[in-house]
Amino acid sequence: MIHDSSDVKTTKIGAGTKIWQYVTVLPGAQIGSDVNICAHCFIEDDVIIGNRVTIKSGVYLWNGVQLEDDVFIGPNVTFTNDKFPRSKVYPKQFLSTKIEKGASVGGGAVLLPGIVIGQGAMVGAGAVVTKSVPPFAIVTGSPARITGYAESINDIESRPSRLQEHSKNKKITLLGVGNAALHRLKLVQDMRGDLSVGEFPRDIPFEPKRYFLVFNVPSEKTRGEHAHRQCHQFLICIKGSCAVVVDDGETRCEVQLESPDIGIHLPPMTWGIQYKYSSDAVLLVFTSDYYDADDYIRNYAEFVDAAKERK
Amino acid sequence: MIHDSSDVKTTKIGAGTKIWQYVTVLPGAQIGSDVNICAHCFIEDDVIIGNRVTIKSGVYLWNGVQLEDDVFIGPNVTFTNDKFPRSKVYPKQFLSTKIEKGASVGGGAVLLPGIVIGQGAMVGAGAVVTKSVPPFAIVTGSPARITGYAESINDIESRPSRLQEHSKNKKITLLGVGNAALHRLKLVQDMRGDLSVGEFPRDIPFEPKRYFLVFNVPSEKTRGEHAHRQCHQFLICIKGSCAVVVDDGETRCEVQLESPDIGIHLPPMTWGIQYKYSSDAVLLVFTSDYYDADDYIRNYAEFVDAAKERK
Amino acid sequence: MIHDSSDVKTTKIGAGTKIWQYVTVLPGAQIGSDVNICAHCFIEDDVIIGNRVTIKSGVYLWNGVQLEDDVFIGPNVTFTNDKFPRSKVYPKQFLSTKIEKGASVGGGAVLLPGIVIGQGAMVGAGAVVTKSVPPFAIVTGSPARITGYAESINDIESRPSRLQEHSKNKKITLLGVGNAALHRLKLVQDMRGDLSVGEFPRDIPFEPKRYFLVFNVPSEKTRGEHAHRQCHQFLICIKGSCAVVVDDGETRCEVQLESPDIGIHLPPMTWGIQYKYSSDAVLLVFTSDYYDADDYIRNYAEFVDAAKERK
Amino acid sequence: MIHDSSDVKTTKIGAGTKIWQYVTVLPGAQIGSDVNICAHCFIEDDVIIGNRVTIKSGVYLWNGVQLEDDVFIGPNVTFTNDKFPRSKVYPKQFLSTKIEKGASVGGGAVLLPGIVIGQGAMVGAGAVVTKSVPPFAIVTGSPARITGYAESINDIESRPSRLQEHSKNKKITLLGVGNAALHRLKLVQDMRGDLSVGEFPRDIPFEPKRYFLVFNVPSEKTRGEHAHRQCHQFLICIKGSCAVVVDDGETRCEVQLESPDIGIHLPPMTWGIQYKYSSDAVLLVFTSDYYDADDYIRNYAEFVDAAKERK
Amino acid sequence: MIHDSSDVKTTKIGAGTKIWQYVTVLPGAQIGSDVNICAHCFIEDDVIIGNRVTIKSGVYLWNGVQLEDDVFIGPNVTFTNDKFPRSKVYPKQFLSTKIEKGASVGGGAVLLPGIVIGQGAMVGAGAVVTKSVPPFAIVTGSPARITGYAESINDIESRPSRLQEHSKNKKITLLGVGNAALHRLKLVQDMRGDLSVGEFPRDIPFEPKRYFLVFNVPSEKTRGEHAHRQCHQFLICIKGSCAVVVDDGETRCEVQLESPDIGIHLPPMTWGIQYKYSSDAVLLVFTSDYYDADDYIRNYAEFVDAAKERK
Amino acid sequence: MIHDSSDVKTTKIGAGTKIWQYVTVLPGAQIGSDVNICAHCFIEDDVIIGNRVTIKSGVYLWNGVQLEDDVFIGPNVTFTNDKFPRSKVYPKQFLSTKIEKGASVGGGAVLLPGIVIGQGAMVGAGAVVTKSVPPFAIVTGSPARITGYAESINDIESRPSRLQEHSKNKKITLLGVGNAALHRLKLVQDMRGDLSVGEFPRDIPFEPKRYFLVFNVPSEKTRGEHAHRQCHQFLICIKGSCAVVVDDGETRCEVQLESPDIGIHLPPMTWGIQYKYSSDAVLLVFTSDYYDADDYIRNYAEFVDAAKERK
């Protein structure tokens, strides 16, 4: 926000950019090409806007806001830059907001200051976003929670349930995302209790070197969000349920694990996310290798690049 | 939203309509008479506005928005027209939004695309509306839920509890809405358990041809929302509680069912709605006829017309 | 809102006040000095704005809005003045909204009509405020709930937990707010049950004339919000937990009571608030005097004045 | 128990009765024919024992005990005759105990004073019986609860589950007890809730004149225990579960109702018992006639006689 | 039990004692006067039996059993003297069992070794007693739990609820046990929570020197079981419920505390017991004096003597 | 029980056996040497009693009862031989009862017919035993449940908790039972949830060929009760808790598993039992071999012999 604007600055506006009626752009703002800024907007001087950005009406961009290429900002989206605003009381530094490449912010959403909206993410209309949003996550509500993942930037309409295709009769079902696959395990239920069985490497397709259990996960939490270079993983939700998103850098899908006789195999170079844990969920994971920090890719952009190279 | 406005169109604005400062109306918009459009609004070309509509400041109406007569749009209300907006990615058809006759949208509300706000409905200030709103419903919150029903457009202040008037001593209490009535049924409670009894056609005023049970209803769901031409219904909430709205096309009221010794008789040509189900609610319904799809009226406007004819 | 503006009124604008582009101020509005009104605002005629107020963009102030000195209104904050708005239907009197001295309203917040935001209060970004907010309270969410108390207008960043400083070894810990203090009481736990003990005036620092118990408090309720002129109070949360805010008119702090062996002594002239009651909370209070209505100060401004006098 | 035995009485012992070593029979006791009294028993003077009774070792029969024909008393069964015994303190009248025809009391059981064990009932070994036991009931535990019903005196070993025979494909399944039958009803489940439907007289085999609901039944309670002369009943457990015993005077069986799509039809002259209610059970009953006290047979012996006559 | 009986001992049997058929008394047993030992009993040599004791049939008294005056032992009561019996394996010392004056053991009860059944206590028929039983307590079940208190040895039939007599209109109700009394306290209930208030010494009849809270008491635990010589106590159950037995050495009664507006005043020389705590019970106690170990009487017999002296 | 005793049989009684007063032994009974049969017992003809058995008073042994060497039968223990006894109705074959070597049955216990009390087992006083009891198990209550395991016949007093000896710092703790050992696994807890990790064969001391999960076990159930000849097992209770008894044929101990970072390794030739499952328990088991029915030893006596051979 403007409290002191004594410096003289030069505004840059790219080719093909359209600015509508009743819009103020303060000197110094950096605006890319082919941008569309609708009526009734206001852009302060220390604002950076990439190429092909759309900004609908009633949006006011304060100092410290950065919109990367291909971002969409819906009407009446509210940006802020001070967590505890008081009139005439200025923090040493205003908090910045960054909307990464290809992300969209739905109409009427409110963004608390100091957050990043990740690449390809989607903020639902009317959401009140209090924390940073990971790449491709869909967040909605007040406060905003992750409620899904965009399958890809270009695959907007269809997110079929792969689990439904996993027929009762098939033991292994490829998910269409790299070589990730659902496996059906043996379940025996009798009066004394239930029994689920798997054998290595007959049922689980590798000799495990390591297992781990994930439990007591708060329902709004997201885990995973990384890929392995060499290590295989096999996930079984043995109590409660959770959702698993798998991504090979080109396509992605989501499956719901909710029975101890369903496992999911994540081969190397598969980006995996787990979320929507039920309160009683226990996730059992087998891995083909010992822990090796160098085997992890934790940056999505880096993962996409590495996945392309390997092909 | 405007992505391509090459056509030349003619704007129509009715008599008595007032448009304030800093308002843009694109050529082609259709605006009725006695409309009030406050400062800082924007109206795209493919927008239709009825008569006697009020639009407060900070409202941007995109292509596909239709406001019928007597609609009220509060300040900073956000309209949208794309469920999954991406910059420079256009759906084959933008989703439209329709606000029916006499409805109101409170200040700061956000309307997801593709919904209809029904006749006489009331969207609370700050609500995030994700689904269509039925006629006369009051919705609030994020996401918006039905929290009540406006008794009529002109009866804003008073919504007396009809149930309170149903004295312990009376067996049948007319609700003042057509011939709909509350019936008191026999309840016997002793140490061995409780017993509730009704007889046909002594207590339930018809010979039933059919019964059905409604249960496991999520608390935010609304059921019913239709009338029968010939069939009588008799509803008893035998476990938990729910609310029933009855409407004869002219007047309406709401009663809370929360005891198995209270039944409600809905004669033919009564529009009925059930909502606010408790998590354990079981609703028992007797009907005077077998199922007949032709006996249902599911459109409220059609019901109002049919109700008038019958008188 | 303006339905009838036939009177000619004179606008007053104080020295040092800055009004940006695309702002409308109707004749009759009263605006103080050193006010900052950003672009894209609208101010009706019957609006009063104090000194040193900040109003960000996209804010529309309707008749009946009063902003006291040092108020901050974030971007796209929505004011309303009619609980059940219908187009062309006007209530006998529009409801007014008052933002008291030093209060802030975060960006995108929506204020229902007829409420007061108390002195120094903080409405979170995106909050939907449906009830009046007490002095210094922090409210967030939809609908907005009290989630904290601002320690003071100038102490924004730090709200240390005083309870953590109450070491296991110390029996009494001054809170740094007047003479209010935490007391550690004796707790004996064994297989047959737990026992907590206190003696008068050895452990509780006065001879009690009265005790009272507070229980079954809905979690969103706030109690207390008053000071005593002569009476001492001693509070113990003997089941569940609650938070206590203590304030001597200059400084304030908040402590969490969650064990029957912790008591808090509120000497006379201490403003006390209790909130965040757990569902099973039972608060036991001893007082040094019998009930005397004249001993209560229930208005915070009056309390601050009285506290200054006493020094 | 003997506190005062001054009267001279004559003991009667029937033909074929065998009394073993170390048994005391006080003068005045009445013992039928073909009775077997094992070693180490004691029989006071005011005791009546029918024909063909078996009494195992370690059983002491105090004044007031009456054993009808064909009763079995296991070893170490304990009889009592004073609820609050104190040495040398005698109640005005000792409480009596009656074991009806054909009943059995398992070894080591303890019978509180003043109770009746009904015809054909079975008290489990080691049970502590604090209340009277209805005809044919099986009771076990401490304190004893009804855990089953003997199918008939002569059908000891087999109590097949008739419900298992009610295949998914059959709409009506006769139970082999008179004309009592299970009926399968329509169940529709979708996202909005579940729906169960039945039609009269298509699904329920009569036109109902009356319905009643039974709910809030404590789990240890037994209801019903009567037959109707003319009236049909149709029972559906629409929430939770309960067990229904049906008896035509010659054969009996038990079915578990636990789904709203299963109903049971009880034609006239069917003795019915419901028990083992789950805590949330709601039982819906349709009847073919209005309430008529004369239509009820509440005494099992009378029912058996009436059932025979009708054939 | 007899493993080794080489010593020659002399049996003593008092005047008026009656021993029935098939009873063995080993040499050395001590038996008082007016005792009644029914048929089929066995009494080892190191057994002591007081005056006026009744022993029903099937009772075997092993070495180490002591029955004080006026004790009643029902039929088939089982005594034991080894916690972990193995054939031919003898502990260094067999555990003894003592039944105190006036206590009764119902028929078929089993007593684990090493316990004391207190004065006037009542063991229910069929109970399995695993722990010592306090004076006048009534125990039932397997394992036996305290389920009541005998009001006095001679007041068998009537145990009226004194709480029912405490009418809504009376502020103080004497219990008829010394000067112990119920007090009604002020209770204010509204939407913001409930409030219960008391004033010293207006409502609570003394100036408190000490308070204590009792909570987290396991439901089967009994607390109190002592009297004070000088100290007053005032008990309020502010959450959940518990039962209080008051006893002045001559009469006793029991009241249920289950509301924070009911207090019970225990003046000096009142024997008090609290039991049947609900899982969430919190008991608040005010005392008129500081803690003084010498003020406690913890032995019931000593209390009865002291109470008589004081009169 | 004797219904027909026409055969002439010869009774055998061993040397050193003592039979007290009022005891009947029918011709044909087989009684070993050094047996002690107390007063008031009755022994039918088809009964077999081993050497060094103790039988206390009030015990009646029916046909089909077999007591092996060193058995202890407490006073008033009740044997039965007919599940559904009816007077003069005889089953084709009476059910037998077998008490294996060294077992004890506490006073007043009741044994349902047809069961086996395993070697070294201990039936608590007053227990009602409805099912067979495994070797060394301790059972109590009505109905009797396993509440512990006797560590060995001669180790009565001490059952130290081995788990307490498993210090926080040690990774592996031998249990002193063969090579069975507790293993500490890695546990990482943070705000996002908890994580437990183990590696093969680093942490789990073999390469697994198989895993299985045990869950939904009713709390009263006991599982395992077998040993493997070649296969290793590794057990982790990843949710809830259970107890594991390990036995190498000579010594035994019990550990409580209640945290996912504790595993127990059962090498070949370890007898294992799991019981006391909490309602939410999930037990994860790794095995070193595929399933092989021949690898199991399910008879405890056979296991003891095989264990001796291997040494």
Side-chain angles (χ1 to χ4, degrees), chain B residues 17-69:
Chain B
T17 286
K18 177 168 187 183
I19 296 179
W20 291 65
Q21 209 174 8
Y22 308 129
V23 170
T24 304
V25 178
L26 291 194
Q30 308 295 313
I31 303 176
S33 56
D34 291 319
V35 169
N36 185 14
I37 300 176
C38 292
H40 301 283
C41 289
F42 175 87
I43 295 167
E44 243 178 340
D45 50 324
D46 188 17
V47 168
I48 302 170
I49 297 172
N51 300 313
R52 292 174 306 280
V53 166
T54 297
I55 301 171
K56 304 298 297 182
S57 298
V59 175
Y60 316 113
L61 301 178
W62 314 113
N63 282 338
V65 171
Q66 180 182 355
L67 312 182
E68 293 188 351
D69 292 350

Side-chain angles (χ1 to χ4, degrees), chain D residues 102-115:
Chain D
S104 298
V105 182
V110 176
L111 307 181
L112 273 280
I115 64 177

Side-chain angles (χ1 to χ4, degrees), chain B residues 64-113:
Chain B
V65 171
Q66 180 182 355
L67 312 182
E68 293 188 351
D69 292 350
D70 301 307
V71 159
F72 175 94
I73 306 297
N76 282 335
V77 167
T78 302
F79 287 80
T80 61
N81 61 8
D82 188 349
K83 271 196 179 169
F84 229 72
R86 295 295 192 192
S87 189
K88 307 291 173 185
V89 178
Y90 310 118
K92 284 172 194 159
Q93 184 162 8
F94 286 102
L95 292 164
S96 62
T97 301
K98 184 180 184 183
I99 316 292
E100 292 186 345
K101 184 174 160 45
S104 297
V105 181
V110 176
L111 307 181
L112 275 281

Side-chain angles (χ1 to χ4, degrees), chain F residues 100-122:
Chain F
E100 293 187 343
K101 184 173 161 44
S104 297
V105 182
V110 176
L111 306 182
L112 275 280
I115 65 178
V116 175
I117 308 295
Q119 173 185 352
M122 174 68 63

Side-chain angles (χ1 to χ4, degrees), chain E residues 5-16:
Chain E
S5 63
S6 55
D7 301 331
V8 173
K9 292 174 176 178
T10 308
T11 305
K12 290 183 189 162
I13 299 185

Side-chain angles (χ1 to χ4, degrees), chain A residues 34-284:
Chain A
D34 291 320
V35 170
N36 185 15
I37 300 175
C38 292
H40 301 283
C41 288
F42 176 88
I43 295 167
E44 242 178 340
D45 49 323
D46 188 17
V47 168
I48 301 171
I49 297 172
N51 301 313
R52 294 174 305 279
V53 166
T54 298
I55 301 171
K56 305 297 295 183
S57 297
V59 176
Y60 315 112
L61 300 178
W62 314 113
N63 282 338
V65 170
Q66 180 183 354
L67 311 181
E68 293 189 351
D69 291 351
D70 301 308
V71 159
F72 176 92
I73 305 295
N76 281 336
V77 167
T78 303
F79 287 81
T80 60
N81 60 7
D82 187 349
K83 272 195 177 170
F84 229 73
R86 294 297 190 191
S87 188
K88 307 292 173 182
V89 178
Y90 309 118
K92 285 175 191 155
Q93 185 162 6
F94 284 104
L95 292 165
S96 62
T97 301
K98 184 179 183 183
I99 317 292
E100 291 187 345
K101 185 174 160 44
S104 297
V105 181
V110 176
L111 307 181
L112 274 281
I115 64 179
V116 174
I117 308 297
Q119 172 186 355
M122 174 69 64
V123 174
V128 178
V129 185
T130 60
K131 297 176 182 173
S132 289
V133 176
F136 296 106
I138 302 168
V139 301
T140 59
S142 172
R145 303 282 187 221
I146 297 175
T147 53
Y149 278 84
E151 295 215 349
S152 83
I153 294 182
N154 297 318
D155 177 12
I156 293 168
E157 295 302 323
S158 68
R159 282 189 296 156
S161 168
R162 292 316 194 284
L163 192 57
Q164 289 178 1
E165 300 167 13
H166 183 40
S167 87
K168 286 280 177 192
N169 300 321
K170 287 178 70 175
K171 208 180 159 199
I172 299 178
T173 304
L174 282 171
L175 289 167
V177 176
N179 289 315
L182 288 177
H183 290 235
R184 185 166 303 277
L185 302 164
K186 195 173 171 191
L187 177 66
V188 185
Q189 296 176 307
D190 67 26
M191 292 290 287
R192 299 173 308 147
D194 298 347
L195 192 83
S196 174
V197 185
E199 293 180 353
F200 310 100
R202 295 181 187 175
D203 300 317
I204 283 74
F206 52 82
E207 303 270 359
K209 280 281 183 276
R210 186 169 178 255
Y211 80 91
F212 58 91
L213 295 159
V214 181
F215 48 100
N216 289 345
V217 181
S219 63
E220 73 273 17
K221 289 292 172 195
T222 295
R223 294 182 66 98
E225 300 203 272
H226 63 249
H228 286 279
R229 295 181 196 278
Q230 303 297 341
C231 183
H232 292 253
Q233 289 191 303
F234 195 90
L235 290 68
I236 310 164
C237 193
I238 59 185
K239 187 98 183 174
S241 64
C242 71
V244 178
V245 175
V246 294
D247 181 337
D248 64 357
E250 286 193 339
T251 56
R252 63 175 52 201
C253 79
E254 175 177 333
V255 293
Q256 177 79 358
L257 298 184
E258 56 195 359
S259 169
D261 62 341
I262 297 290
I264 182 167
H265 175 213
L266 274 54
M269 291 311 293
T270 308
W271 184 265
I273 298 167
Q274 300 96 45
Y275 73 126
K276 292 183 193 164
Y277 284 84
S278 68
S279 61
D280 62 341
V282 180
L283 185 71
L284 170 63

